[in-house]
Amino acid sequence: MRRPRTHVLRVDLSAGETARERVPRDWRRDYVGGKGLGARYLYEELSPGADPTGPANRLAFFVGPLAGYLPGETRYAAVTKSLLTGGFLDSYAGGEFADRLAGSLDDCLGLLVTGAAGRPVRIEVEGGRARVEPSDAWGDDAAETAERFPDAGVACVGPAGEREAAYATVASDGGDHHAGRGGAGAVMGAKRLKAVVARDPPPTVPDDLAALRDRDAAAYGRDPTGEWQAAGETVETVDYADEVGILAAEGWTETGFDGVDDIGVEAALERATGREGGRDPEASDDGEGADPAVPGGFRIDTPDGEVVPRGAAPITLGAGLGIDDFDRVVDLCGVCDRLGLDVIGAGNAVAWAVRAGEAEVIDCPVSFGDPDGAERLLAAIAAREAPADLDVDPDLPDALADGIDAAVERFGGADLVPTVKSMALPGFDPRAAVGVALAYATSDRGACHRRARPQDSEPLARPDRSPADRVRDVVGEQNARSVLWSLVVDDFVGEAVGTDLGAEWLAAVDHPAVADVDRDGDGTDAGVDSGTDAATPGDPVDALAATGERIWTLTRLFNAREGFDRADDALPAPLRTAAADGTPGVDVEAFDRLLDRYYAARGWGDRGLPTPETLDRLGLADVVDDATPLDERPIDPAAAAESDD
């Protein structure tokens, strides 16, 4: 029997105590779950300036109201204040742990972890309850930790998280999946929380939702995105990025990589022993397991165990480090997976070290095209100290563990590898697609290629994309994904078949996000851009579109309270200059005008801060506190457009 998710499990690690508490109905209505609910708790409970590694910081493991029922891979959201950026962070992972967490939480939307333990502990979740237990796994890597619990789903920190590396991941399923970007693992390690163990099996899909699930899973299998995923998963993105001219290579000095054919999807197909997921076609349709139409990543056998590389591996650890050997790229990915290091953050850190060594800013013998040197440096970063066989500045690994900006502050070498809000960029180069620069710069968690994805469309449409097109696309996608990530739907499935932002699914479970909508149209804002073609005034899709904008604005308020403003949306310096192959840098003045258009579209002011008028429209006026700075008036959209013409 299906029970609505109406509670959270609060876990106080300082006291070793747990409690169930009801989530206010208006919070579930206005923020749904996942990203939105995590943002609401974080803004409500965390004081500005709180130390991300201190006991006051919150670390949430949230699912959505339909977790385990939606088609595609079940996912969870890790939400916290980031050590890397000092701002809001939400990071996502799927797989067995997410499936089992959905089952183990029962009628709860997630865990809200506070405090810090005095010794290593784990949280056990089962039957809608949680308990804190001692852990003797401290020092184990992600694979070793998972092996201790063969009959459960496990999310843990590896050695990098234990040492609070600023881009440490929360690794699940032995390192096959990661809540990767932004360093949630550093917060988890600081709390001395080694693992979360989910004991129960995944939830069974109720009969009244099974037809919806099967319909949407089948629709995704026929969708171009589903066909793309089935053919090459995200590994194919390195081939795509190179083909359309946006692949950053060799520490952002080149656009394009000669060895891409050796590290792309054909190499993965040749080496793969199988794919993740896939429900056994002979098994009964009991609602458990992955959808056959949604295959997962490629499984690659290595001497150190099986590795499932995602697209970031060939892009950042391959092209980004000048390595054209697929097996060695997979090896480096496996090192990151077991240590619990974000592949994008780690690959860019090594690239910065190589370039800083070439510029004689530091002593670093690692070069581009040197997988052995890269592997030793990755291990040194996770350990925060250099081994005897790596002849680098002894302070370099510790500095790099705190991120590229921290290394620059200690050694110099600015303007070598780009960051936004201290987060290293994914390997899609905005110099060839300025809309990508806008998406990176305005992302709420730092440089991110998933909040909006102009890299999927703009390179193929150049030069036809106008400033208005770019801004509309970025704003619409950011809003839509804020809703989908509050449902915590499978990323690609949600984008392909969730054109109503999940309204039909939410209506099927009588969720307040749609059940409370005024169907006469008086309770929704018809001026909100839903980013879909399905919305009509008074329709629940309009209400969900407003929800997406509300959530995005709330994360902006959180960051503003931490001191972020327009200066933090700036174009990174390396992107203002031409690449070595002649690709011109992004025009700074044109980018600033694009940023004005973006702020105008959101109803924000010229400092990039929400205004009282916007907060009133989105129902946030009673949420914002006196410590959060606001702009007095929004930028006029007509004036912003005129300045760009």
Side-chain angles (χ1 to χ4, degrees), residues 198-425:
R199 292 286 184 183
D200 289 326
T204 298
V205 181
D207 291 342
D208 59 338
L209 297 181
L212 270 179
R213 178 184 173 118
D214 291 346
R215 182 201 68 186
D216 283 356
Y220 181 68
R222 297 188 300 269
D223 186 88
T225 301
E227 293 176 348
W228 162 81
Q229 187 178 23
E233 218 260 343
T234 58
V235 171
E236 186 269 343
T237 54
V238 67
D239 303 83
Y240 165 79
D242 187 72
E243 182 179 349
V244 300
I246 60 170
L247 178 64
E250 297 199 6
W252 295 83
T253 62
E254 302 279 349
T255 304
F257 182 53
D258 289 341
V260 72
D261 290 342
D262 297 317
I263 60 173
V265 68
E266 292 302 324
L269 288 167
E270 181 179 331
R271 289 279 288 104
T273 59
R275 300 286 292 270
E276 279 190 306
R279 184 183 299 151
D280 183 348
E282 297 182 1
S284 61
D285 189 10
D286 58 3
E288 297 182 8
D291 293 301
V294 190
F298 295 100
R299 295 190 176 279
I300 311 292
D301 282 337
T302 77
D304 293 319
E306 191 176 72
V307 176
V308 183
R310 315 292 171 180
I315 289 177
T316 310
L317 300 175
L321 297 181
I323 298 170
D324 60 4
D325 183 327
F326 181 78
D327 289 338
R328 297 299 282 128
V329 170
V330 173
D331 289 341
L332 294 177
C333 180
V335 169
C336 291
D337 286 349
R338 291 186 294 274
L339 294 173
L341 281 172
D342 170 41
V343 165
I344 297 173
N348 274 283
V350 173
W352 179 88
V354 172
R355 292 199 61 194
E358 291 176 344
E360 299 184 349
V361 172
I362 59 172
D363 292 327
C364 180
V366 182
S367 60
F368 289 121
D370 176 12
D372 292 334
E375 182 172 347
R376 291 197 300 273
L377 188 51
L378 289 171
I381 290 170
R384 286 188 176 268
E385 62 181 10
D389 65 345
L390 185 62
D391 185 21
V392 298
D393 188 303
D395 293 330
L396 179 63
D398 185 60
L400 285 177
D402 290 329
I404 291 171
D405 286 7
V408 168
E409 186 175 348
R410 190 178 303 190
F411 297 107
D415 304 344
L416 296 177
V417 171
T419 63
V420 170
K421 301 176 180 72
S422 297
M423 183 181 284
L425 272 62

Side-chain angles (χ1 to χ4, degrees), residues 283-590:
S284 61
D285 189 10
D286 58 3
E288 297 182 8
D291 293 301
V294 190
F298 295 100
R299 295 190 176 279
I300 311 292
D301 282 337
T302 77
D304 293 319
E306 191 176 72
V307 176
V308 183
R310 315 292 171 180
I315 289 177
T316 310
L317 300 175
L321 297 181
I323 298 170
D324 60 4
D325 183 327
F326 181 78
D327 289 338
R328 297 299 282 128
V329 170
V330 173
D331 289 341
L332 294 177
C333 180
V335 169
C336 291
D337 286 349
R338 291 186 294 274
L339 294 173
L341 281 172
D342 170 41
V343 165
I344 297 173
N348 274 283
V350 173
W352 179 88
V354 172
R355 292 199 61 194
E358 291 176 344
E360 299 184 349
V361 172
I362 59 172
D363 292 327
C364 180
V366 182
S367 60
F368 289 121
D370 176 12
D372 292 334
E375 182 172 347
R376 291 197 300 273
L377 188 51
L378 289 171
I381 290 170
R384 286 188 176 268
E385 62 181 10
D389 65 345
L390 185 62
D391 185 21
V392 298
D393 188 303
D395 293 330
L396 179 63
D398 185 60
L400 285 177
D402 290 329
I404 291 171
D405 286 7
V408 168
E409 186 175 348
R410 190 178 303 190
F411 297 107
D415 304 344
L416 296 177
V417 171
T419 63
V420 170
K421 301 176 180 72
S422 297
M423 183 181 284
L425 272 62
F428 300 114
D429 196 326
R431 284 175 289 200
V434 69
V436 179
L438 181 67
Y440 286 159
T442 59
S443 167
D444 53 1
R445 71 171 182 180
C448 178
H449 61 299
R450 297 297 303 160
R451 265 82 180 131
R453 301 214 321 265
Q455 67 269 14
D456 289 357
S457 56
E458 184 172 336
L460 302 176
R462 293 193 312 257
D464 299 331
R465 305 302 290 167
S466 70
D469 291 334
R470 293 181 174 118
V471 168
R472 184 191 64 247
D473 290 350
V474 169
V475 170
E477 289 178 20
Q478 287 172 342
N479 289 350
R481 290 193 176 93
S482 291
V483 179
L484 295 175
W485 289 346
S486 297
L487 286 168
V488 203
V489 65
D490 180 286
D491 230 10
F492 295 110
V493 178
E495 293 165 8
V497 302
T499 55
D500 66 348
L501 303 179
E504 183 180 11
W505 276 90
L506 290 167
V509 296
D510 198 32
H511 192 276
V514 296
D516 293 356
V517 173
D518 178 355
R519 296 187 181 277
D520 292 330
D522 298 332
T524 62
D525 187 340
V528 174
D529 181 5
S530 69
T532 77
D533 295 326
T536 56
D539 190 276
V541 179
D542 271 337
L544 289 171
T547 296
E549 186 180 1
R550 180 183 305 112
I551 292 166
W552 189 265
T553 303
L554 181 59
T555 64
R556 188 68 172 194
L557 293 170
F558 180 90
N559 286 342
R561 194 172 63 176
E562 296 296 334
F564 289 72
D565 59 17
R566 185 184 187 117
D568 298 285
D569 296 340
L571 184 70
L575 303 182
R576 303 172 199 159
T577 58
D581 64 358
T583 301
V586 177
D587 184 295
V588 176
E589 292 184 0

Side-chain angles (χ1 to χ4, degrees), residues 57-107:
N57 196 8
R58 272 51 176 162
L59 175 60
F61 296 83
F62 278 156
V63 297
L66 290 150
Y69 303 155
L70 293 164
E73 186 177 57
T74 302
R75 299 174 70 80
Y76 78 93
V79 183
T80 190
K81 180 180 178 180
S82 169
L83 173 61
L84 179 66
T85 70
F88 175 80
L89 174 64
D90 57 321
S91 195
Y92 302 83
E96 182 187 10
F97 170 76
D99 249 343
R100 284 183 172 269
L101 181 66
S104 300
L105 286 170
D106 191 32
D107 66 339

